[in-house]
Structures are given as C-alpha cells and as structure tokens.
Amino acid sequence: MKRINKYITDAGYCSRREADAYIAQGRVTINGREAVLGDMVGDMDSVEVDGERVGRRKKPPIYIACNKPVGVTCTSERSDKSNIIDFLGYKERIFPVGRLDKDSEGLILLTNDGDIVNKILRAGNNNPKEYIVTVDKPVTESFLKEMAAGVKILGVRTKPCRIFKKNNTTFVIHLTQGLNRQIRRMCQALGYRVVRLKRIRVINITLGSLEPGRWRYLTPEEVREMHMLLAGSSGTEEASDLKKAVKIRGYAEKKKGSFSQYRERGNTGTRRSGNSRPRNRRKSTKA
C-alpha cells in the first residue's frame, strides 16, 4: 500500500506537490470515490486524475535537460498557454523539477520520477544550483559579502551561499534554496535590479552548449552520478517521518534525562513546586 500522492508520482503523472494539489481540488478519485490527502491505495485500486486512469509505471524513468528560454513558464498546467510541457511537445507525460521564473532562462530538468523531484527540491538536502546573474549597476565587495551571508526576504533570512564576481555587473551564485524569485528578491533588497538571470547547473547536471529552446536526455553517466549524489537526500515523506522520529526520540531522551537527574538527587525532596517551602528552613523570629 502507498499514499495516494506517492502512487500518482510513481506512475509518472506529476510531482508529489502537484498530486497533493489535485487531491485537495477534488480532481482525484479512488475506485470511483473522491480521494482525500493521506488515502492509501494498492495495485488493485483504480486511481483517476480528471477522469484519466493512472497506472503503475512500467518503463524506465525519463530524465530531460532543457534550456528554457525567457517567456516559458515552468508548469505542467495546460491552462497556462506558455507552459513548458506544450513548449517541448514531448510524447509522454513529464513534469518540471521545480521552477525557473518566466523571465529567467537556462537549465530546467523534466522527469516522470516523482521521488527524485522531492529529493532535489528539499532545501534541507542542500543540493546546489548555479546561476549567472547580470544586474543594473556595478557589483561591489560589500554586495557580494551581504549576498553570501544571507539576505532577509519574505520574512526569512536566506541561507549562506557561494558567490563570486564575473565582471563589473555580473556575478555567479550557488544556491541550495529555492524561495520564490529568490535571487531577484535578494538583489532588490540590496538596491540592485536583475537584468538577466540564467541557471547553468542543477547538482551535477550542467547546461553546457545546449541552445535556448532545445532539450536532451541525461546521459547514463549523469543519471548514475545524480542518483549517487542524492543517495543521502530525503524525499518529502521520508523527511516527515524522520522529523516525527526525531521529535519522539527527543521527547523520550528528555523524559529519561529528567528521571535520571531525579534519581541522582536521591529523591531528597529538593525538587519542589513554587508554592512549597524548603525543608529545615528556620522560621524568622522577631527580636
């Protein structure tokens, strides 16, 4: 048995995040009834999304690298006329790994492997993405230092990152986060405006000489190395289970520690509530 969102992604229909959205919107059914988040399904169940049967994937997963041009939106929603799926026109169902702003360009990965999407995108896995960024005025040392240390945007401070100057108005930055329009917001917070933003690497996959609007399959060597680098990364469900386990273990250790401390004190009664008085305390006497 699998959770309904994992079943859908394992079938190569969409990413787990998109599957959760479809379920919440009432677009997923299990054996004719509307699915809810957390439902469990097996191989004998009939799962449909928008009336389309979702089956288990039998073919090897697909991994594609595309040089997305400006103007294309990284979404699989066909209601968006600029969606990357229609732009590629690929014959099988695939979906983008994360997002690259519509007004940005460069490397975007597409796949039908939902598990690898979660492992690549989770910020806690610290998987690097590399960008070349051109701004509207000279790049200073203070700007580079502030960017590297982290900038407060969207109510949070960004994680420290690697950054170095390429020329007077261009820098290269390595991020392990993927906040909404992160680089643009970071630059804006420091008084800069991004003129051009191009992603050139995701983990071990590089853009290379791939021309804008073109795509290619990842090589077997790239796929092997990518899986090797992601071996220690956790997916959304695994991370959730790990978080729960750590929380439970932490609570148990806290309780154990408290009891051990209590025993070490020999149950002498030194632990007391705020209203109790200490033993053997002499009462004050009036002179």
Side-chain angles (χ1 to χ4, degrees):
M1 301 289 286
K2 293 184 178 180
R3 291 182 185 178
I4 180 63
N5 57 359
K6 189 175 190 324
Y7 182 93
I8 294 172
T9 58
D10 283 353
Y13 190 91
C14 62
S15 69
R16 195 174 300 183
R17 182 180 300 176
E18 289 176 315
D20 284 339
Y22 294 157
I23 295 165
Q25 293 164 10
R27 297 165 60 179
V28 180
T29 60
I30 303 172
N31 302 325
R33 70 164 177 83
E34 187 174 308
V36 296
L37 291 170
D39 272 344
M40 304 294 288
V41 294
D43 293 341
M44 300 305 293
D45 290 309
S46 175
V47 177
E48 295 183 356
V49 180
D50 293 333
E52 180 182 347
R53 179 71 181 269
V54 176
R56 293 182 60 81
R57 184 176 63 222
K58 295 181 175 63
K59 298 179 181 179
I62 298 165
Y63 301 108
I64 286 174
C66 172
N67 187 348
K68 184 193 85 67
V70 172
V72 175
T73 307
C74 291
T75 180
S76 56
E77 287 289 348
R78 296 296 176 81
S79 57
D80 188 328
K81 300 302 180 183
S82 62
N83 75 82
I84 194 168
I85 303 304
D86 287 340
F87 175 78
L88 261 65
Y90 192 72
K91 59 185 182 296
E92 295 185 45
R93 184 180 292 278
I94 53 175
F95 43 86
V97 180
R99 292 181 178 275
L100 188 61
D101 296 337
K102 186 175 182 178
D103 46 0
S104 299
E105 61 185 298
L107 179 63
I108 183 76
L109 303 180
L110 298 102
T111 185
N112 58 358
D113 183 351
D115 281 339
I116 207 167
V117 172
N118 296 313
K119 291 183 177 182
I120 290 174
L121 296 183
R122 284 197 71 249
N125 292 333
N126 295 315
N127 295 315
K129 296 179 286 290
E130 184 176 352
Y131 303 80
I132 298 178
V133 186
T134 301
V135 289
D136 62 340
K137 55 186 181 181
V139 174
T140 64
E141 286 301 316
S142 61
F143 169 80
L144 294 174
K145 288 180 180 179
E146 289 185 83
M147 289 283 284
V151 180
K152 192 170 183 180
I153 60 171
L154 300 172
V156 299
R157 185 167 294 279
T158 60
K159 298 174 68 173
C161 64
R162 291 181 57 203
I163 182 171
F164 59 89
K165 187 175 179 178
K166 186 175 177 65
N167 59 42
N168 191 43
T169 57
T170 304
F171 62 89
V172 176
I173 185 169
H174 299 199
L175 296 182
T176 57
Q177 274 180 299
L179 300 177
N180 181 257
R181 299 175 68 84
Q182 179 171 342
I183 296 174
R184 295 179 186 277
R185 292 179 189 274
M186 290 172 72
C187 290
Q188 184 179 17
L190 299 179
Y192 285 72
R193 181 177 63 84
V194 172
V195 176
R196 185 184 183 191
L197 193 156
K198 182 178 183 179
R199 183 157 67 192
I200 59 173
R201 178 171 66 93
V202 176
I203 313 179
N204 65 306
I205 312 302
T206 58
L207 188 63
S209 59
L210 193 64
E211 296 179 0
R214 307 288 292 181
W215 63 269
R216 66 173 178 83
Y217 290 111
L218 300 193
T219 66
E221 291 77 16
E222 286 176 319
V223 173
R224 280 195 295 271
E225 185 178 3
M226 179 174 65
H227 280 290
M228 181 184 70
L229 293 171
L230 292 173
S233 299
S234 59
T236 302
E237 189 172 339
E238 294 165 320
S240 176
D241 292 341
L242 178 60
K243 187 176 180 181
K244 290 177 183 176
V246 169
K247 185 176 181 181
I248 292 170
R249 186 169 62 249
Y251 176 76
E253 289 296 328
K254 182 179 178 181
K255 295 293 286 184
K256 180 180 178 181
S258 298
F259 183 62
S260 297
Q261 293 168 9
Y262 179 75
R263 287 176 55 189
E264 287 171 6
R265 283 192 294 267
N267 193 12
T268 59
T270 54
R271 296 180 66 189
R272 59 183 184 275
S273 65
N275 295 325
S276 63
R277 293 183 178 180
R279 295 182 180 182
N280 301 324
R281 181 178 178 183
R282 294 182 180 180
K283 294 182 180 179
S284 62
T285 58
K286 293 184 179 180

